[in-house]
Each structure stands twice: as C-alpha cells, then as structure tokens.
Amino acid sequence: MWKEACWFRWRILVARAAAAKIDPRHGGIKDGGGGETKTTDAPYPRMTKEMAAKIARKLVEENQDPIAHCFGTRLWDGQNMLLALFDEQVRSLCPHLQTVQREAYRNVTDDRGAAFGLTLEYTTAKEFFRLFAVMGLQPKHYVMLCEAFIWTMETHNPYAKEDDLEEFEKPPKESVFGRFVAQHVAKPGIKSLVDTRLELATPLYCQLLPEVWALAKDGGSLSVGESFYSCLLSEFPELLDYFARADMDSLAHHIILALDLMVKYPSMVGNPDSSFRTVTKHLGEVHRELGIETDAYPKIFVALLKILKPFFVSFAKTKNKQGNPLKVSQLEDGLALLFADTMSFTFYPMLREEMLCQKATEFLQQAAEELNWSQSQLSKRILQVKLEISSHGTYEHTTEEIELGARLAWRNSVKCVGRISWNTLMVRDCRHVETPGGIIDEIQKHLELATAGTNLQSVMTVFRPRKPDEAWGIRFWSEQLVRYACYEDPKDSSKWIGDRANQHLTDFLITRGLWTPPPPEKRTNHDILPVVFKMPGREKPIVHQFDPKYMDEAPIEHPTNPKIKEMGHRWGTVPVIAAFHLNIGGVSYGAFPFNGWFCSTEIVRDLMERYCDFNERCAEAFGIDVKTHPMYEARVAHELDVAILHSFKKAGYTIVDPKTVAEQFQTHCKREQKLGRECPAQWSWIGGLFGPINKTWHIEMRDFRKEPQYEYCCSMLSVTGEDEYFGDDRVSIYGGLGEEEQVDMDVQLQENFSVPRVLIAYGSETGAAEAAASRLSRVLRLCKPVVYNLNRVAGLEIIKKMRITHMLVLCSTFGKGMPPTNAKKFFKTEIPSDMLGETKVAVLALGSSQYPDFCKAGKDVERILINAGGKKLTPLTTADEAVDSPGTVNQWIKLVKSIVLPQGLETAIEASMSCENEPLRYMMKWSTVSDVNPVAGTVVRPEEESSPCKMNEELLVDGDISSRSTRRIAFDIPPGSSYVTGDHLAVYPLNSMEVVRRFVSCFIKEIELISTEQKVDLASSNVVDWALQQRIEIDCIDNGSALPATLPFDTPITLSAALQESVGLSISESSAADIFGVVLKYLPRGGPALDKDQELKEFVERGAHVLEGGKGAGVQDDMDTLLSKYPTVVDLLETFTPVIARLSKDPIPMAELLAILPRLQPRLYSISSSSIESPDVVEISVGVVHANTTFGVHIAGVCSNYLAMLKPGVDRAKIAIRTSSFRGPADMLKTPMIMVGAGTGLAPMMGFLRDRALVLRQGVAEEECHLFFGCRSHEERIYRDLIEGWENDKVLKLHLAMSRAPDMPKMYVQHKIRDQGEMLYQLLTKDNCTYYVCGDANMADNCYEVLVDVLREYGQMSRAKATLFLKRMRMEERWQYDLWGISAYMDDDTYIQAKKKTAKRQANRAVAWLNRVHQTDTNEDEW
C-alpha cells in the first residue's frame, strides 16, 4: 500500500508540474532531456490547476508521464526500487538497532554477475541514486519526491502514533519526516546526479576510452565485431543456443554500432530522449526476443574485455612513455562502468520476463502439488506459460488456477484469523467482463450468492488482471462494497455523522455531483454509499447505487438492554472487501471483490473507533459513569460484542465470536503443521486483537510472506488527487458517465460481456497461411470471425464498417521478400494513419530462414497495421518452415486464442447460448441426378480460363515420365497478359482421376446410403461414377444453425470438379493436425483394439502428439513419421477406413473432410523463355517428381505429373503470369554476369541467355557471362545443344559440375566456384558485376559461403568485410536470387530427410559460423 501510494503520488506531482506549462490550445506533453517540459517558465493563463491535474492523471494512467519517461523499461519495478531506497536510508539512521530478535522487514534484491566481478543489479542506496541519475531524474524531481513521501506518510500510514500526527502539522523543514527525506534522500540524490555527470566528464571517459576504441577500429572495426563473437562463443559455448538461428555476420556489424554508442554514452548521460536510450531500449527487446538470459551479460563483458585488453596494454604503455601515467586497470574499470550503465537499460526487459517466469513456475509447482498434476502435465503447462510470457509479456491463468490461487492467498494471509475455511472459497471467473454494466451486474450476483439463505458463503469475483502496459487496471475506490457515508454535523463542526473512515470518499462524491445524499434532516449514521470503481481509458469513475435489497444489514440491539436498539445503529452483514491486490504467480489482480464473514470484534472496533461519541453514548446506555470508571471502554466493548452477536443471530446471518474463531485458528495451524506447512501470521492482528484471555494471545507467530498473497491497495482517489478541489469550474457528472456513456452502460447492463469482433486476414501463396487461418477461425468460432484474404481487406475500410476489435493476420513471403498474390493489392493500397483506431492486431509471419528476406511480407504487414493506428495484441511471431513452422503456428494460435477468447469469456458466451455448445458438424446435400455415365477423363476447363499447350518435350536423355523426367513445356500466354524475362508462371493443376477415384471409394457406404435414399439403383461398379457426377452443397451446423460452409470451392459443384480442381489431397505439415484430427475422432484412443493393431496404436499416439501442437524434436519426429507413412489423404483413408468400419458405428462423413482439406494451390515455375524472342509464348522447365518415402510409399508430384501428361495441340491448362523481381541487367553486353543454377534452376537463366544471344547479334560483348551449372551426369544436361551453341558464339562460358558422372569425382557448383576463385574475385569487384542464383536454397547458401572465402583469400578481407561486400551487392540489386525451399528427393534423399538436414543446419548457424571463423581466418593480426 505505502510503496504504491508514494510511487504514484510522486508521478502525479511531477506530471502536474509538467502539465501546468502546457498550452491547452495545443494539448499534449513533450518531454525533453530528463523529462523536462519544453515550454516557457510561466504557466499559460488558460491552463488551470484543475486542467493540469486532469492531464497529469491521464499521463500517469497511460504511463506517459515524465517519471515513466525517465524510468523507461524499468518502470514496472519502480515501486520496489523506491521502497528499497527508503528502506536502506531509514535503516542507516540507526544501524546498531538493525540486529533484532525476530525477523526484520528487509528488501532483498539478487545480485547478478557478482561471480564475474560485475554488478548489473542495484541493492544499496548509493547504487540507486546513481541509477536514478543515469535515468535522467532532475533536482526538481527529488523535491517532489520529498513532498510525495511526507504526503504518503500522513495518508497511508495506518500505524502512525499521536506524536507522528503532530509532526504532520509542522512545516516540512521542521518536521522529522521533512528533515529525514531532505537530508537522506533528496540531498544525496541530487549530489549523486552532479557527481555522476562530473565523473563521466573526466578525461578517462571523454578522451582516453574513446581514443582506445578509435585505435581498435582503425585496425578493422568489422574484425573487432567478428572477434568479439568468436571469443564470446568460444569462451562460453553454452551461449551458442541463443544465437542458433541468428545472422552472425549481421550481429558482428551491429556490435560495432553498439560499442560506438557505449563510448559516446558519457555525453548523453541522464537524457531519456537521447539516441542512447532509444537504441538500448531496442537492443533490450532484441535480446529478449533472442532469449539471452541476464546471467549472460557478465560473460559478454568478459569477452569484450578480452578482445580490448591488448589495446589497453599498448595504449597505457604509449601514455606512460609520454609522461602521462595510466594504468590498464583504470581503463578496465572505466569500461566496466560504461558497460554496466549501458546494460542496466538493455537487460531489464529480459529480467522482467525471467522474474515473471520464475514466479509463474513457482505457482504452477504449487498447483501441481495441490491439484495432483502429473509431472508431464506440469512440464507442459510451464512450457506453455513461458511461451506465452515470451510472446505477450504476461500469461493467462486457467479458471482452475485462478480458483486455487485465490484460495492459497487466503491460506497465506497473515492478518486473517478465519483461514480454516480457505478451501471453501467460491471463486467466480469474470475476467471476460470489461464493461461498467457488466461489472455492476456481476457485483450484484456476488451479493446475492454471498447471502443466499443468510448462511454466508465466502465468495470472490475476479475481474481481469492489470495488463503489463497499464498503471492501474480496473480499481475499486470503495474499500468495501457496503460503506457508510460521513457528514459534518451541522450543529457542531467539530463532530460528524456516520463512518469517519469514509469522509474523503463522501466529500468527493458530493462535491463532484456524483452522488446525491439524503437531505440534511434525514441523514443518519448509516447511509449506504454507492459503489465506486475506475476503468482504464475512462476519464471519470463509475458510480452505482445498488438497490438496498442487495445490501443486507443487521440492526444492532442488545439481548437485555433496549437502549442500544434505540441508538439506531446497524451494520452490513457481508464484509465484501474490494480494495486489495491479489498476486498469483506474478500476475496482479486489482479488482476482485471477496467476502468471508465477520468476527464480532471487528465490528466492535469499527464502531468504537470511527463513530463520533459512540463510546460515551454506549456507556450512558449501559449506566456506566465514564468519569469514575477508567476501564469503561473495555466494558462497553464487551457488551457491544454481546449485542452484535445477538443482532446477527436474530437477523439470521453468519458471524463468529472471538473464542470460537481462536479455536478454529488453532485447528487450522495444527492441520497445516501435519501437512508440513508453517502457518504465517501477524500477532498484532490475531493475538493482539482479542486480548490476553484469548487462546491466540500465547501462540508464537512468524510473520513471513508466502505467495499467492493479498496486499493492500493505496487509495487511488487520494493518490491521483481526484478528491482535491482546485476552485476551478466544477465537474457536473451523472453517475460518473456522460450522456452517451450512460446509454452504453444501460445496454451493457443487459449483457455483461462483449464478444470480440474478429477479422482474420491471410496472404498465402502455397496454402500454408490460408490453412492456418482456417484453423484459427475454427478455434475462435464463438466470436464468429470473418476470414478474408488480404486483397479483400485492402484499405481496411472493413475495420470501421464491421467495428472490428481484433485483426489477426497470417502472411507468408514469396520470392525475394514479396507478398503473396492474394495480398499484393493490400500492400499497394494507401491506408490512413488513424484507420485502425484502437483495433488490436497480431501478425504471424510465415517463411523460411533459408531465404535472405525471411518473413519480410509478414513484417511489412505488421508495420503497416501499426502505422494505421493498430495496437499490438502480441509481438510479431515468425514461423520458420526450415525448422518448426507447424509447432510455431500451433503455439501462436493457442496464444491468440487465450488472449482473444480466454476461458472465462468462452464459458460466458457458451452460457449465454440458448443451447449447449456443440462441435461443428458438416452436412452434404446431394442433387437428384440419377443418370450414370462413366467418368473417365479429367475436368475440361473453358477456353476463356485456360491456355493451349504448344510444346511438351523431354529434356533428359532416356527420360521417362513414370520415373525420372524433365520436361520443356510451352503455352500461349493468357489473353490480356504479358511477361518479362525472369517472371514466374503460376500453373493451376488438377488432381489425377486415379487419386480422385481412390478418395471417393473410401466413402462407398455413405454414397450407397445416399443413392438408396434417392432411390437410384446402382451396380457396385457404378457407385463411384454416379457420385462424381452429383452436384453437392455443404452446410456447416453450428449449434443448431445451418450455414453454408467455408470451402475451397463454390457450391453447388459436381463432386468430380471439386476433387480435381479445388481440393488439395496431399498432407502437409500445415494441414496435418486438421486432417489427423478428423480421423482420430473416429478411432478409439485406448483399449484392447490398440493392443491388437500396432499400426493403429502408433497412429493414435503420434497423431495425438501432433494435435497437441507442441514444439521440439519429439513432436517433429512424430510429424515426419506420419507424413512418411501417409503422404496423402487417400493413403490415410485407405489405411484406416476399414478400421473405423470395424471399431466405430459412425464412419467419417465426406463433408467433414472436404470442409477442412486445404485449397489446391497453384505451383510457380521460373519462366525459361525470352519475352523479347517469344512475347506470346511462355516456356517452363519442369522436373517430374516421383519418389518413395522412407516407408516405401510412392509420391507423385501433383502439378509436375499433371503437366507431364499434357498433349500439345490438344490439352489446355489454367495458367497466370506472376511478376518477379528476378531481372537481367539493363545492358547485357557491358555487365559482367555470374549465373549459378542446378537442375531446373537453369530455367530463368535460359531466358536471360536468350536475351543476351539476341543482343549479341547486334554488337560485341564487352564483359563476360559465366554460367555455373550443376547436374548429375551428361544424360541430365538439359538444354545441352543450346548452351553449347551459345558457348561457341561467345554468349557464355560454361562451368559444368556433375555429381554422379561415371568415373568422375563428385562435383557440385560450389566446388566449381571455388576452382574459379581468382577469376570470380576479379569479376565481383567490378562496380557493375551482377550475380544470379536459382535453385535450392541450400545450394545457394553453400555458394555464398564459397564466395565469402574467395573474397577473403584473393581480396585479403576479413569475414566481416567480405559479408558486408556481398550485402552491398544485394542492396544495389546486383545479387539476385530465385530460390525455393527444401529440395525434396534430391540425391536419392526423401523429403523428410532433406528437411531434417535443413533444420539441423538452420539450428546450428552460430556453430557453423564459429567454425568457419576459426578455420579460415587468415588475417588474425589484421586489427
């Protein structure tokens, strides 16, 4: 309570001072260095104190105030740091009194890095003062801290003595509190500020260290960065995991910039607006995303010191020779200080995450023990929570965890004597309720539940926790829901009527016109106040007066003395406490009204302490002479205790007496002891409360903190100054709401939760993002999300039209960082900066880290949405196809679901539905066509939607379509289209009729049933043909409502057309979970059937793991195994349809599978023709895919086999031109060209070479073109004759690499590049040289590494310089690539094996980088 009050009061005071200088005509507040407002010294005439106070409250609530600006990423821990500072200084006053018999209250902060001689955390007052100076606190801030301290001691000090109260009446300079805070906090704080700046202005920091750093960079700054990471990862190999997938060459460049900034830091100390603070904040977030633990920072310093020490030694020797004494240790100490200051900002985001993970883990371990979780269940939950924290900065408790946490907090509450019933607490999960009306409605239900039958039930109603970026969250200003007003006695201003504890709240409500009390003549000691609470984003508090029937009271009367009843006192029967914090596993709840029942002594104390002349009037009623009986108050207390127990019993409400509750407490302590738990307790609240004749008086109690825990809240009303009246225009408010808000609230009272309006948008080229979007829509179906591709939401007008609250985007990246085709319009359409308003956005970027522009389109989408005003729901998540894309996608879907549709909201929506929430069902409607004609051929596409095949010829010697073949295929370009050499051709394939028939045959029983219902007489041989001709429609049955299902095809449609043209029958990692899930639903999960069928058992077990959607090698192995056994839906169905028929009464409905199968996506091929030579005909080179998985299941590539079977002059295909960024040089004859391609990677090069050959007919080539081509053998040299002819004509120089040629060593293109290193170095270093690579991304990576080595060997470059050279080529668009992902079935390898190789390679980038640096660095002494 105290630390929160002092912290926020300080922020409010500083924000007021800053706001007072704002011109209200412009609004806003801009902080300069150190939080200084950039305005004139004199306040503007129109800025009133009331306006300044209002602005200050808003700034603090939004964490935009000057103190928040100074603290930056440390803001979340500001309260604790302030308490630690005051605690240290108070204890320093009398250090000889700090050795105590019982436990001391002490702030404890772990020191991280002490083992390395480096402290990154702060524990002493001196360290805190220096930190505050570095953060930018100003002298005036310390002055206001003094004011905040004195104010807090006066208003939030429940243990203040009478002489303390006298001190508050004195001027600050004369009071003990004022003198303490001025001498021991403000003065040393300001001195530290001055000392820090003077220290950093000395020659050591302003001259010597910058000179040493300049010397280090003169020898090759990039080498310093490379050497730093090499040293770091060599000395501490445990850090390799953090950089496993990082671009180490880029990091080597960036560390130089970071060190530059660190050296310049002394000139920017104490300026929160400096570039230093901006960069360190960004760096901290990058480190957090990489998962670099705070314990790694001292190790980073060790590596930094090691690489710079040789320079320190040399520099010190030089200075000493010049007569300027300098020790190496001075430079080392200076570097340590600069590093510690820099890292103190950088490491805090990760420290916050670590501390939250630690608290969450500790709580979950408690939960596992209390709830009997298995170890696997605990481990899975901890992993889920850590991933959620990493992505969102916090995590969501389950309802079960909320219930347990609330109960444990009661059990751990040191001031509660009635904890014996902790396990009976009824916890209501209302985290989904975020409207004022909804909260009021839930409070009313709480009161009804608590008093049901008058035998009180302990109840807690939990509203949502405080979010990481919120200062307050939802907060109740009413300390209890039933509180009595306090008025000044009109007859005597020194006296009062009512409960003095509520005087400030009563005055505030009346003064601000928020509550109309009874007329003066009708006011009593027990006028119930309205309930008051504040919600984030609303300027005014919510004020609601409940119907008296919900506010149960008991009139106070004595069993033998009628005069007590005549006094007219009464008391609320349900003690619903509202102003507390609840901390569960690091998550803070600030709004959770809860009640138990009264102990009579509590009411006795409240009446005797807070009601005017109450004790004297009671004594008079009992005939006690207060003048002659010095112990009259003890007798009054006893009789009043009797009266209260009698009154509650007569009214029929639960209450407990001191003797009984003491016995219950003893029983509770014994139970805890038997269970091996010590019971924390505060003696002053338990033993001291009831007196020496009570059993608790003699119990030894230890007051220690255990979590979960309840904590007192500060008075938000007082801290923010809402109750301060400045004499300006008074605020006229009804119920705390404006007229429009009041209307909204009336509506919200009827429905206490709001269902998120969700838009799911996707950009998908291969179907992975679209499939994930479809799965996300099913997970969020209670929200009835809208699912569109990004082109359909271009401009984002849909956001305002549909009042979207959450926009969830899944976007893949195509080619050279380009967006997918169905997202290009979105990127080209301008979006106003305020279009999204307060819409929350979350983006999942899909891609492969094998490509240079990894997930670029997804990253660009997020940037666009944020620029349009969107608020981040989660940080950007990237799903890497090369490592574990499905695992990441599944985790992201779970995370988004937990935020958008948390368990509490899901339960509330389900409860509001007229029927029980049922799983989605799909129903297929068949037409009544009864004629049966054999369906032999494929679907024939209309001429207006297709192009004729002009050529289809074999490129391999002895090529065979059924085994190994590469085809040269040409089409007329689509009408109205054109292309440029280097573009792509999108081909829309058809599933083969053989596979389609096999699919339909798996549903024979369903088809026979339909044909029987429609009275169609079919022979068994005609069933499949009949089904394929039928026109179908599919409805989605969602809780009784039938709606058209979202499908990859429009209906009605013939089943044949749907299966051939629209549905993808291959199972990929992105669709596996959905498809396996449907089949698993109809299979037994256990029992004897699994024991008898090993294949069934393995599928059930592995499929269950895939459905759980975890990450890691085990889950990936399950996925790989299942995809190898069942590469298509047909393979899966043919295996398990007979099993389902045998073991289940219900077969799989065809509609259920069709509804979740992915769309059959177009395949993209690099165009190998020249737009100059043949502008009307487009040509592609196609490798026909045939392979067997590791389990011997044959796979035929859908599109390549479709294309291979096209007959020139007969067949037509649906194609489209897709623009690419892969372009030839503007001047073919004057540009040195290096082309690298393997297999069909030669395709786009053929287009460029055709262009070059045409240009050469009209001129002479000034520069050479070198083609590095790789294939297996001479028989697989595609376009051999053309290339040999061009070589003779000087169009190109061929460098042929063959990996399987008889009697020849295995040779790949990277080997040929190494052989031609010197020549290539001469070409690469020409200003206009352009490099082209097309094919498998792994091949491209290998060639890149060889070229780095070439530059190092022949150009005498360090690795860092070499990589920078190639990156500049790319920036200048002289490094062009047209790559695809994992090269399936290469070199007799299966897709799964290739993927494992790639994943391993990607996961060990840092190791590979380190090895290359160590093995090939021939310039160790360069720097």
Side-chain angles (χ1 to χ4, degrees), residues 824-1066:
K824 286 185 177 180
K825 182 180 177 183
F826 173 86
F827 281 86
K828 293 178 181 178
T829 307
E830 188 174 344
I831 302 172
S833 60
D834 61 344
M835 179 59 75
L836 289 183
E838 294 299 314
T839 302
K840 299 181 177 69
V841 298
V843 177
L844 174 67
L846 296 91
S848 172
S849 56
Q850 293 180 288
Y851 294 88
D853 291 294
F854 175 54
C855 289
K856 183 178 184 299
K859 295 173 182 177
D860 289 344
V861 168
E862 185 187 61
R863 175 181 51 78
I864 291 169
L865 297 179
I866 297 302
N867 290 342
K871 309 299 179 186
K872 273 194 183 184
L873 183 69
T874 67
L876 176 76
T877 299
T878 56
D880 188 355
E881 177 198 15
V883 181
D884 185 16
S885 180
T888 304
V889 171
N890 291 333
Q891 292 293 341
W892 183 80
I893 289 175
K894 287 182 179 179
L895 172 65
V896 168
K897 195 259 185 183
S898 70
I899 300 169
V900 177
L901 188 61
Q903 187 177 6
L905 178 58
E906 188 173 13
T907 303
I909 296 174
E910 289 174 345
S912 69
M913 298 166 65
S914 57
C915 58
E916 184 178 350
N917 186 29
E918 299 174 347
L920 287 177
R921 293 186 297 109
Y922 296 92
M923 182 178 68
M924 186 182 292
K925 296 186 291 187
W926 298 74
S927 65
T928 57
V929 176
S930 58
D931 294 336
V932 181
N933 299 307
V935 180
T938 60
V939 170
V940 177
R941 284 169 166 153
E943 288 191 10
E944 63 271 15
E945 296 179 9
S946 60
S947 298
C949 176
K950 306 287 288 185
M951 176 199 305
N952 190 345
E953 63 182 30
E954 181 63 58
L955 287 172
L956 304 183
V957 177
D958 299 326
D960 184 353
I961 290 177
S962 63
S963 57
R964 191 166 185 84
S965 172
T966 300
R967 313 294 298 180
R968 179 182 181 184
I969 305 173
F971 300 95
D972 283 344
I973 68 167
S977 298
S978 63
Y979 75 98
V980 176
T981 307
D983 278 346
H984 296 143
L985 186 71
V987 179
Y988 293 81
L990 297 175
N991 285 313
S992 74
M993 278 307 300
E994 177 196 356
V995 174
V996 167
R997 286 177 178 278
R998 286 171 58 196
F999 177 86
V1000 176
S1001 297
C1002 293
F1003 300 93
I1004 285 292
K1005 287 190 176 181
E1006 178 182 347
I1007 297 169
E1008 288 177 343
L1009 181 63
I1010 295 296
S1011 63
T1012 301
E1013 289 177 355
Q1014 297 189 6
K1015 299 180 180 179
V1016 179
D1017 186 19
L1018 295 173
S1020 59
S1021 60
N1022 289 334
V1023 171
V1024 172
D1025 283 331
W1026 177 83
L1028 287 171
Q1029 294 175 63
Q1030 304 310 301
R1031 298 179 73 80
I1032 61 167
E1033 295 180 73
I1034 300 178
D1035 283 343
C1036 173
I1037 312 301
D1038 188 354
N1039 292 307
S1041 301
L1043 300 169
T1046 302
L1047 302 165
F1049 48 83
D1050 295 326
T1051 59
I1053 188 175
T1054 65
L1055 183 59
S1056 176
L1059 292 174
Q1060 278 196 276
E1061 289 187 286
S1062 304
V1063 174
L1065 298 176
S1066 299

Side-chain angles (χ1 to χ4, degrees), residues 3-39:
K3 68 177 180 181
E4 183 184 41
C6 186
W7 168 250
F8 279 108
R9 185 63 178 180
W10 182 33
R11 292 174 60 185
I12 286 288
L13 293 176
V14 174
R16 279 187 191 173
K21 297 183 179 182
I22 299 173
D23 183 348
R25 293 166 294 181
H26 304 305
I29 179 170
K30 293 184 179 179
D31 289 334
E36 188 77 29
T37 307
K38 295 178 180 176
T39 57

Side-chain angles (χ1 to χ4, degrees), residues 1003-1161:
F1003 300 93
I1004 285 292
K1005 287 190 176 181
E1006 178 182 347
I1007 297 169
E1008 288 177 343
L1009 181 63
I1010 295 296
S1011 63
T1012 301
E1013 289 177 355
Q1014 297 189 6
K1015 299 180 180 179
V1016 179
D1017 186 19
L1018 295 173
S1020 59
S1021 60
N1022 289 334
V1023 171
V1024 172
D1025 283 331
W1026 177 83
L1028 287 171
Q1029 294 175 63
Q1030 304 310 301
R1031 298 179 73 80
I1032 61 167
E1033 295 180 73
I1034 300 178
D1035 283 343
C1036 173
I1037 312 301
D1038 188 354
N1039 292 307
S1041 301
L1043 300 169
T1046 302
L1047 302 165
F1049 48 83
D1050 295 326
T1051 59
I1053 188 175
T1054 65
L1055 183 59
S1056 176
L1059 292 174
Q1060 278 196 276
E1061 289 187 286
S1062 304
V1063 174
L1065 298 176
S1066 299
I1067 304 179
S1068 65
E1069 290 190 349
S1070 60
S1071 63
D1074 289 337
I1075 295 170
F1076 293 159
V1078 170
V1079 176
L1080 283 169
K1081 190 163 67 173
Y1082 294 88
L1083 289 170
R1085 294 299 184 96
L1090 267 63
D1091 298 330
K1092 296 177 182 178
D1093 189 332
Q1094 186 59 35
E1095 184 173 18
L1096 172 62
K1097 181 179 181 180
E1098 184 183 25
F1099 175 72
V1100 169
E1101 291 176 350
R1102 291 184 182 273
H1105 291 161
V1106 171
L1107 282 183
E1108 288 174 1
K1111 299 179 71 174
V1115 175
Q1116 189 62 49
D1117 182 64
D1118 290 328
M1119 175 75 80
D1120 293 343
T1121 299
L1122 294 181
L1123 292 182
S1124 290
K1125 285 191 169 186
Y1126 318 107
T1128 70
V1129 180
V1130 176
D1131 296 312
L1132 185 67
L1133 290 176
E1134 288 179 340
T1135 302
F1136 292 109
T1137 297
V1139 178
I1140 293 172
R1142 187 175 74 248
L1143 300 178
S1144 173
K1145 63 178 181 180
D1146 298 318
I1148 301 175
M1150 189 191 299
E1152 192 165 352
L1153 263 178
L1154 291 178
I1156 57 96
L1157 286 178
R1159 187 188 309 274
L1160 183 58
Q1161 297 290 337

